[in-house]
Amino acid sequence: MSSTDPLRNLGVRLTSAGGELRVWAEHADAMELCLFDDTDPNWIIKSVPMTMDVHGVWSGKSRTLSPGRRYGIRVSGPASPKNSFHPEKTLIEPYSRGLVRVGAGLWQSSVVDDYFDWNGTAKPATALDHTVVYEAHVRGLSRLNPLVPAALRGTYAGLAHESTIAYLKDLGVTAVELLPVQAFVSEQRLIKQGLINYWGYNTLNFFSPHADYATQAAQSAGPASVLREFKGMVKLLHEAGLEVILDVVYNHTAEEGRNGPVTSLRGIDNSAYYRQDESGAYIDVTGCGNTVNFSHDVPKRLVLDSLRYWANDLQIDGFRFDLAATLGRDAGVVYDPGHPLLTEIRDDPELAGVKLIAEPWDVGQGGWQTGNFPPGWTEWNDRYRDRMRDFWLSDMKSLRLTGSAGSGIGRFATRVAGSSNTFSEARGPLASLNFITAHDGFTLADLTAYDVKHNLGNGESNRDGTDNNNSYNHGVEGPTRDVAILATRRKAMRNMLGTLLLSAGIPMLTAGDEFGRSQRGNNNAYCQDSELTWLNWDFDDWQQDLHRVTRRLLQLRRENPALRPVHFGRFGETTPSASQLDWYNMAGEVLTGDAWNSPTERTLQYMAASTPEHEAFNRILLVINAREQDETVTLPAHEGVDAYTLLWDSGHDDLRDSVIEHAPGTPLFVSGASMQLMRAHGAFVPRRTPLA
């Protein structure tokens, strides 16, 4: 960082002469640093007037500003429609590495001793084509796990416990994506209702780990111990080869709407930090009351500095950006894929190698931007989610009720092959973060058991949460003892897991889906910190079966590089690290013309052959029957293929009674609403084949 950079060293910098605090507040006319007593949070032992330079940066020094010291700032300035100065309030310094709660809604910053011995532990640096993301909640993952000591359950230490790590490694995922762990608070509305924000999308500070996820021992010892526990979690996960990705919320803050709490940015420089019109009314494209103003250099710098801190000091491997379209809105509040913040995050040498995942939308005008982020970004692919739910659930319901599915095989095939109609050739299939479920929405099991949401427990008269679930209860809403319905639901889960984990792109598995976790039809459990959202580790027999299926699918993904292309192929060319694709109908003939989009065409054979650079040649055949009736297909007599070996069949929990070896051109029985994965043996023969 250049010594001429006017925004260098913001926050607290410790020297042999004590500490110096630097805070940007261009519109303020005074600022003071308040240092608090070690035991009495209301006793200011020293107040230091701060001075402003020509760049709007205020600074103050004190020998008392040392590790363990609680501090805050008080800021005053002129009254205007866009300002919100409250000099009587002690504010959180934006770059605080630690926070201490000193009363209801009251916080003080804390200087932390950030020493930690990483002992040479390096980031795993898992290649994107080998990455499998596991979205989890720090508390929910281990809160009920009997193998984790009681004092560690639901904490950073519980996530890093040897039993948790062993489970994740055995499952076969490569990265844990954690719901927000930057310090957050519950919204005022939830507090009045006696509820809490369980998910954490209401950030209080962009640098401090959320203290409530630390063990009681660490919380009692103070912010430095919380920080060490967090770093210890990352270190142990890295030692096991698991990456840590954080879900980060930079688009808005916990200060809510114009009349919300004044805790930090609003009281420091409301005019610069939040989007407003000329009257001072907030421009809200997040649905959360405020929107951080990324047309201004200082909020952009705040995000960059925060990312650098988490990626380097805390060794985080990647970030999933909540409502990322907000980060790309210009001065006119219009989304721009070339927005400086999006490109600077990607190009920053201090963030080299960090995985960047966008939630590519917000609630503002023009907010849906799937496929429209710059190269170097991966995006949550909601088109993939909706198509796969439709294919295995909504279409099946339509077939039962009307005899027509409404759509055919084409859109499904395009998504399986990497969504080339959404992501450019330059970005390739790894721009797609494939998911069927996430923290918001139905769980995988609930997709097969509920037609509508059941969110009364959230206190909003069932108004919250989406009504567009693309789900199918298979004839009974909620729990049932009907053996046939249960069997159909479980096969639907296997089909969706198989589709997700065998598709080109980066798969994301939601914690608990691998064993059929239910939230009893709640599709927006953001305020439920209870057994409804915690993972229950007491599996029924069918859940153990589903867990084994998930492990097997992840093993097959690892072992078959044809399922993991890095690039899209080109017609008539052999592209290294792309998969050559061929598509066949149930008769084993090349799929052409109107059959792609005909709603009567519900059977597909998908051949993918790798064009290896770093792994051995591999070729697979995926056979899909998306009708409830059993079908017999003819295996393709594909040039160069001399045999097929069955690897997995979603119609069965195991393959012990199945015929494993098959010859090209021979019939294959495929049970209703199921899919089979085969390895195709033989030499690679380059072919002129179009993309799906």
Side-chain angles (χ1 to χ4, degrees):
M1 189 177 298
S2 170
S3 60
T4 61
D5 177 4
L7 299 179
R8 70 189 183 281
N9 297 328
L10 293 177
V12 172
R13 185 170 61 95
L14 296 176
T15 69
S16 58
E20 178 183 19
L21 174 64
R22 288 168 51 84
V23 180
W24 183 91
E26 183 178 56
H27 296 95
D29 58 22
M31 184 180 300
E32 62 177 335
L33 165 63
C34 301
L35 302 168
F36 291 90
D37 181 67
D38 289 336
T39 57
D40 186 347
N42 298 311
W43 183 15
I44 298 175
I45 60 171
K46 190 173 185 179
S47 179
V48 180
M50 301 172 70
T51 58
M52 186 176 74
D53 65 18
V54 295
H55 303 291
V57 176
W58 297 78
S59 60
K61 299 179 180 180
S62 174
R63 290 187 178 276
T64 311
L65 190 63
S66 57
R69 178 66 57 193
R70 288 179 291 104
Y71 69 99
I73 54 175
R74 291 181 176 174
V75 185
S76 62
S80 78
K82 290 189 174 184
N83 288 340
S84 186
F85 293 109
H86 294 266
E88 78 283 1
K89 292 181 179 290
T90 302
L91 304 174
I92 296 168
E93 183 265 300
Y95 282 67
S96 303
R97 269 45 170 184
L99 295 179
V100 177
R101 192 197 314 262
V102 294
L106 300 175
W107 301 82
Q108 291 172 1
S109 301
S110 176
V111 182
V112 298
D113 177 357
D114 60 1
Y115 173 78
F116 185 80
D117 185 3
W118 291 95
N119 198 29
T121 303
K123 293 184 178 182
T126 306
L128 281 175
D129 60 310
H130 288 264
T131 296
V132 178
V133 177
Y134 187 79
E135 189 195 38
H137 189 285
V138 170
R139 177 167 292 152
L141 184 60
S142 68
R143 182 65 179 80
L144 297 178
N145 190 342
L147 298 179
V148 174
L152 306 185
R153 293 175 194 164
T155 69
Y156 300 127
L159 197 156
H161 187 262
E162 59 184 9
S163 65
T164 310
I165 289 176
Y167 175 83
L168 296 171
K169 292 292 291 183
D170 177 71
L171 182 60
V173 299
T174 68
V176 179
E177 180 180 302
L178 301 178
L179 269 65
V181 297
Q182 293 174 333
F184 66 86
V185 293
S186 296
E187 293 85 346
Q188 300 301 298
R189 174 184 59 81
L190 288 178
I191 293 171
K192 291 176 182 177
Q193 291 178 279
L195 299 171
I196 71 163
N197 187 323
Y198 174 65
W199 287 347
Y201 293 88
N202 199 44
T203 311
L204 183 67
N205 177 261
F206 294 144
F207 289 82
S208 305
H210 190 60
D212 287 352
Y213 291 161
T215 57
Q216 283 298 319
Q219 291 184 52
S220 298
S225 292
V226 171
L227 182 60
R228 280 193 295 273
E229 184 174 315
F230 184 93
K231 290 180 176 179
M233 172 194 73
V234 175
K235 178 182 177 182
L236 289 171
L237 289 166
H238 281 178
E239 287 176 349
L242 293 166
E243 293 188 314
V244 182
I245 298 171
L246 300 188
D247 196 333
V248 288
V249 186
Y250 293 118
N251 58 83
H252 74 282
T253 76
E255 290 184 303
E256 302 186 28
R258 195 64 170 83
N259 298 315
V262 179
T263 56
S264 187
L265 302 183
R266 175 175 291 138
I268 294 172
D269 201 322
N270 185 65
S271 179
Y273 277 112
Y274 293 117
R275 288 193 182 272
Q276 305 170 59
D277 64 19
E278 291 305 313
S279 72
Y282 276 9
I283 299 171
D284 180 13
V285 301
T286 69
C288 300
N290 66 62
T291 300
V292 178
N293 180 17
F294 294 119
S295 65
H296 194 290
D297 286 342
V298 171
K300 287 189 294 185
R301 179 59 174 269
L302 177 65
V303 169
L304 285 166
D305 285 343
S306 171
L307 293 171
R308 292 163 180 158
Y309 174 69
W310 290 93
N312 297 310
D313 293 60
L314 279 68
Q315 292 291 291
I316 294 303
D317 303 278
F319 302 94
R320 180 268 189 188
F321 294 80
D322 180 64
L323 300 183
T326 300
L327 278 65
R329 289 188 179 269
D330 62 18
V333 204
V334 176
Y335 175 78
D336 174 10
H339 191 287
L341 181 57
L342 299 180
T343 57
E344 286 173 22
I345 290 172
R346 179 197 62 194
D347 298 336
D348 191 329
E350 294 187 55
L351 298 176
V354 171
K355 293 177 170 65
L356 305 176
I357 303 170
E359 181 184 38
W361 52 79
D362 62 22
V363 302
Q365 186 173 3
W368 186 68
Q369 294 293 335
T370 305
N372 201 24
F373 271 66
W377 285 78
T378 295
E379 301 175 39
W380 273 30
N381 190 347
D382 57 323
R383 292 181 178 181
Y384 178 96
R385 174 199 64 197
D386 294 346
R387 176 80 289 259
M388 298 318 185
R389 289 186 182 188
D390 279 343
F391 189 76
W392 289 116
L393 298 172
S394 304
D395 288 356
M396 304 301 283
K397 180 180 182 179
S398 181
L399 278 168
R400 280 193 185 185
L401 298 179
T402 70
S404 173
S407 63
I409 206 76
R411 290 191 296 152
F412 171 85
T414 301
R415 297 299 166 201
V416 167
S419 297
S420 61
N421 63 342
T422 300
F423 301 102
S424 68
E425 180 182 333
R427 298 182 66 192
L430 298 179
S432 179
L433 191 291
N434 298 331
F435 68 109
I436 292 175
T437 70
H439 62 275
D440 53 346
F442 280 148
T443 67
L444 185 71
D446 287 353
L447 280 175
T448 71
Y450 295 91
D451 277 357
V452 297
K453 66 189 180 186
H454 296 264
N455 296 355
L456 285 174
N458 296 350
E460 297 183 50
S461 301
N462 211 40
R463 293 187 302 270
D464 64 303
T466 183
D467 293 312
N468 300 316
N469 297 294
N470 309 84
S471 59
Y472 180 32
N473 66 18
H474 295 88
V476 173
E477 185 74 358
T480 181
R481 295 182 180 179
D482 187 300
V483 174
I485 290 177
L486 290 173
T488 304
R489 287 177 175 178
R490 291 164 189 171
K491 184 163 62 171
M493 289 184 232
R494 295 195 294 273
N495 286 331
M496 287 187 285
L497 283 169
T499 302
L500 174 66
L501 299 178
L502 302 179
S503 291
I506 302 171
M508 183 183 80
L509 184 67
T510 305
D513 277 354
E514 71 272 22
F515 56 79
R517 181 180 74 91
S518 173
Q519 288 182 170
R520 301 195 293 274
N522 191 321
N523 75 352
N524 192 37
Y526 74 103
C527 57
Q528 303 293 330
D529 184 8
S530 68
E531 294 187 10
L532 181 73
T533 51
W534 304 338
L535 271 61
N536 184 350
W537 296 94
D538 185 13
F539 296 173
D540 291 334
D541 289 345
W542 72 268
Q543 291 180 298
Q544 293 180 9
D545 292 338
L546 189 63
H547 180 260
R548 282 193 291 270
V549 165
T550 309
R551 289 177 64 244
R552 174 60 174 160
L553 288 166
L554 285 166
Q555 177 190 0
L556 292 171
R557 184 176 184 86
R558 288 193 302 274
E559 294 175 351
N560 291 277
L563 297 167
R564 301 182 274 100
V566 175
H567 305 293
F568 290 129
R570 286 187 177 183
F571 180 78
E573 298 181 13
T574 299
T575 304
S577 292
S579 288
Q580 177 180 288
L581 309 180
D582 292 275
W583 308 90
Y584 300 93
N585 61 20
M586 64 185 298
E589 302 165 342
V590 174
L591 196 64
T592 58
D594 294 339
W596 279 107
N597 298 311
S598 171
T600 63
E601 190 70 53
R602 299 282 292 174
T603 304
L604 174 71
Q605 300 189 72
Y606 161 54
M607 181 85 73
S610 67
T611 51
E613 284 185 289
H614 311 295
E615 299 178 82
F617 170 69
N618 171 248
R619 180 165 44 206
I620 61 91
L621 179 70
L622 190 61
V623 183
I624 296 105
N625 174 21
R627 291 186 177 277
E628 292 196 295
Q629 296 76 32
D630 299 339
E631 300 282 4
T632 298
V633 306
T634 300
L635 290 169
H638 185 88
E639 186 177 6
V641 174
D642 51 40
Y644 295 101
T645 299
L646 180 63
L647 301 175
W648 178 72
D649 183 350
S650 73
H652 304 281
D653 288 335
D654 60 63
L655 301 179
R656 284 176 292 184
D657 299 323
S658 301
V659 176
I660 303 298
E661 302 297 333
H662 300 268
T666 61
L668 173 73
F669 174 80
V670 185
S671 61
S674 72
M675 57 197 303
Q676 297 183 22
L677 179 69
M678 297 189 169
R679 183 172 290 127
H681 302 280
F684 173 66
V685 179
R687 293 172 58 88
R688 294 176 61 86
T689 55
L691 293 173

